[in-house]
């Protein structure tokens, strides 16, 4: 990119919206939580004590649909985040509120901007695009064990990517529920760099088995541009840094990635993502029968159907959204 210095107040405002998304979690973890524990040793100790008591009683709420907040999902800051790239949500078929769905989210990218903006906020008008459908985006379960962060996640419609949580959403919350799962998981973050179309999916079949057990239709999605917004420093297998990344993943559940984009006042280095379009295409649902104990052959059948539908979704739209005609999805 050119080394162009600039002072665009509109861009800076949208960049601050990006920072707000990350800094809110850091503020909760490094400032609010320490202050919370400090209060235990002051005359105000009943406040954190009451919260802890309530937390114990409320412990299973994240696995039972959480507490989404329309107010939080409609914050103006999400519109600014959307406009930074910009982010778009496009559908190929309607989703009937008479069914439940498991939606595969591809690819993970570094920070999964598209999935968050489209399915955790109303910035791209999800409720108008898919009327009668309630989206849940599944993420690492241990986030919901952290006080206050769990509340913030639930307010945005995020749920744990655990079997009990997904089972509950697909069986005890009625119909019209859409559970989004990043099939490739955090491991796919290491495959996130410009022009990359590698997906971890060949051995990821649990989501298909879960769909069959509940009769939830499978919905493929692909987000063009998700891997284009950051450059990543890649380390070869066996190197000291790659071993550190693997250790970090085993301890924290996600990878320590070294990435860079642009800055507030120049476009050649910084931690802001590159302002490139991110377009999420929601594919046609694959109808899935309900089977209490699906055989491995049935799981393989619908897993293959899903991969074929995902590949077709990519091929049908790739030239329109920045990929070359010869580029193909690589299933790992």
């Amino acid at each position: 990119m050119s080394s162009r210095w600039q002072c665009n107040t509109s861009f800076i405002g949208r960049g601050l919206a990006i920072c707000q998304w990350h800094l809110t979690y850091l503020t909760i973890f490094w400032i609010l939580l320490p202050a919370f524990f400090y209060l235990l040793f002051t005359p105000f100790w009943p406040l954190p004590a009451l919260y802890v008591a309530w937390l114990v009683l409320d412990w299973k709420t994240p696995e039972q649909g959480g507490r989404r907040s329309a107010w939080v999902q409609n914050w103006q800051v999400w519109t600014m985040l959307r406009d930074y790239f910009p982010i778009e949500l496009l559908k190929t078929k309607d989703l009937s509120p008479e069914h439940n769905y498991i939606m595969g989210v591809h690819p993970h990218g570094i920070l999964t901007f598209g999935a968050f903006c489209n399915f955790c906020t109303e910035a791209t008008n999800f409720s108008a695009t898919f009327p009668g459908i309630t989206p849940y985006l599944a993420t690492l379960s241990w986030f919901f064990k952290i006080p206050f962060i769990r509340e913030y996640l639930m307010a945005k419609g995020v749920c744990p990517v655990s079997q009990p949580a997904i089972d509950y959403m697909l069986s005890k919350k009625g119909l019209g529920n859409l559970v989004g799962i990043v099939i490739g998981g955090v491991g796919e973050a290491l495959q996130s760099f410009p022009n990359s179309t590698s997906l971890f999916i060949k051995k990821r079949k649990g989501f298909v088995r879960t769909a069959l057990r509940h009769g939830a239709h499978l919905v493929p999605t692909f987000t063009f541009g998700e891997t284009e917004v950051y450059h990543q420093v890649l380390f070869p297998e066996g190197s000291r840094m790659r071993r550190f990344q693997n250790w970090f993943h085993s301890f924290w559940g996600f990878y320590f990635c070294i990435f860079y984009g642009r800055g507030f006042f120049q476009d050649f280095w910084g931690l802001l993502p590159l302002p490139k379009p991110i377009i999420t295409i929601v594919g046609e649902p694959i109808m899935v029968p309900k089977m209490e104990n699906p055989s491995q052959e049935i799981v393989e059948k619908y897993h293959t159907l899903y991969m074929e539908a995902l590949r077709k979704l990519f091929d049908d739209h790739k030239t329109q959204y920045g990929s070359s005609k010869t580029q193909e999805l690589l299933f790992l």
Side-chain angles (χ1 to χ4, degrees):
M1 300 182 66
S2 61
S3 301
R4 184 176 65 256
W5 292 84
Q6 57 185 358
C7 184
N8 184 322
T9 56
S10 177
F11 174 83
I12 291 172
R14 295 193 296 269
L16 289 173
I18 297 284
C19 294
Q20 179 273 344
W21 184 33
H22 313 313
L23 291 178
T24 298
Y25 293 102
L26 293 175
T27 301
I28 292 173
F29 193 83
W30 293 110
I31 298 178
L32 185 59
L33 276 179
F36 170 78
F37 288 113
Y38 171 76
L39 288 177
L40 288 170
F41 305 97
T42 71
F44 298 100
W45 66 266
L47 294 176
L50 286 171
Y51 177 79
V52 170
W54 175 80
L55 190 64
V56 172
L57 296 174
D58 193 60
W59 193 249
K60 291 188 177 181
T61 297
E63 294 190 343
Q64 297 175 349
R67 281 186 299 273
R68 67 176 59 242
S69 167
W71 174 66
V72 173
Q73 291 183 311
N74 282 280
W75 281 353
Q76 183 65 27
V77 70
W78 310 134
T79 302
M80 297 174 67
L81 184 149
R82 176 201 68 194
D83 292 342
Y84 177 93
F85 295 97
I87 296 173
E88 294 183 56
L89 175 65
L90 302 176
K91 67 177 179 180
T92 58
K93 295 287 183 179
D94 290 327
L95 299 181
S96 169
E98 299 300 315
H99 301 286
N100 285 329
Y101 304 90
I102 289 182
M103 175 180 64
V105 177
H106 310 276
H108 183 286
I110 296 289
L111 295 175
T112 324
F113 288 108
F116 168 76
C117 190
N118 287 317
F119 307 123
C120 298
T121 81
E122 277 296 317
T124 55
N125 298 312
F126 179 93
S127 60
T129 305
F130 296 103
I133 301 296
T134 302
Y136 298 89
L137 185 64
T139 191
L140 296 173
S141 299
W142 68 267
F143 287 151
F144 295 88
K145 303 183 188 308
I146 305 174
F148 303 117
I149 284 181
R150 70 193 292 273
E151 323 300 340
Y152 189 46
L153 288 171
M154 287 192 290
K156 294 183 289 188
V158 182
C159 71
V161 64
S162 66
Q163 196 63 55
I166 296 171
D167 287 341
Y168 191 96
M169 246 80 73
L170 297 177
S171 63
K172 298 182 180 180
K173 292 284 287 183
L175 300 176
N177 298 300
L178 175 75
V179 180
I181 303 174
V182 185
I183 306 300
V186 293
E188 216 170 66
L190 293 181
Q191 300 293 322
S192 180
F193 46 87
N195 299 315
S196 170
T197 52
S198 298
L199 304 177
F200 288 166
I201 189 173
K202 278 188 175 180
K203 297 181 180 179
R204 310 292 173 96
K205 301 175 184 177
F207 73 103
V208 177
R209 186 177 297 276
T210 299
L212 286 162
R213 286 177 46 240
H214 294 283
H217 296 346
L218 291 168
V219 181
T221 70
F222 191 89
T223 300
F224 292 91
E226 189 70 60
T227 61
E228 307 296 318
V229 298
Y230 279 119
H231 298 285
Q232 182 174 183
V233 180
L234 302 176
F235 301 96
E237 289 288 348
S239 66
R240 182 177 299 177
M241 191 61 194
R242 188 58 176 264
R243 290 197 300 270
F244 170 75
Q245 288 179 314
N246 292 334
W247 171 84
F248 191 93
H249 172 252
S250 66
F251 189 82
W252 292 102
F254 59 94
Y255 283 96
F256 179 85
C257 298
I258 298 179
F259 56 90
Y260 63 94
R262 59 156 297 156
F264 277 98
F265 304 106
Q266 42 73 24
D267 58 12
F268 53 88
W269 192 90
L271 292 180
L272 286 179
L274 304 175
K276 296 186 176 183
I278 295 177
I279 299 95
T280 297
I281 311 292
V282 180
E284 182 177 358
I286 302 168
M287 291 185 290
V288 173
K290 186 175 182 178
M291 299 180 177
E292 187 172 346
N293 294 299
S295 66
Q296 187 60 35
E297 290 75 18
I298 293 295
V299 172
E300 293 283 354
K301 172 187 174 182
Y302 282 94
H303 185 259
T304 300
L305 288 174
Y306 179 86
M307 289 195 298
E308 290 173 351
L310 179 59
R311 189 184 299 279
K312 183 177 185 302
L313 182 69
F314 176 80
D315 289 341
D316 287 349
H317 298 88
K318 61 184 179 182
T319 56
Q320 187 177 356
Y321 297 112
S323 297
S324 68
K325 188 176 181 180
T326 58
Q327 194 164 5
E328 295 184 358
L329 283 182
L330 178 61
F331 293 149
L332 303 177

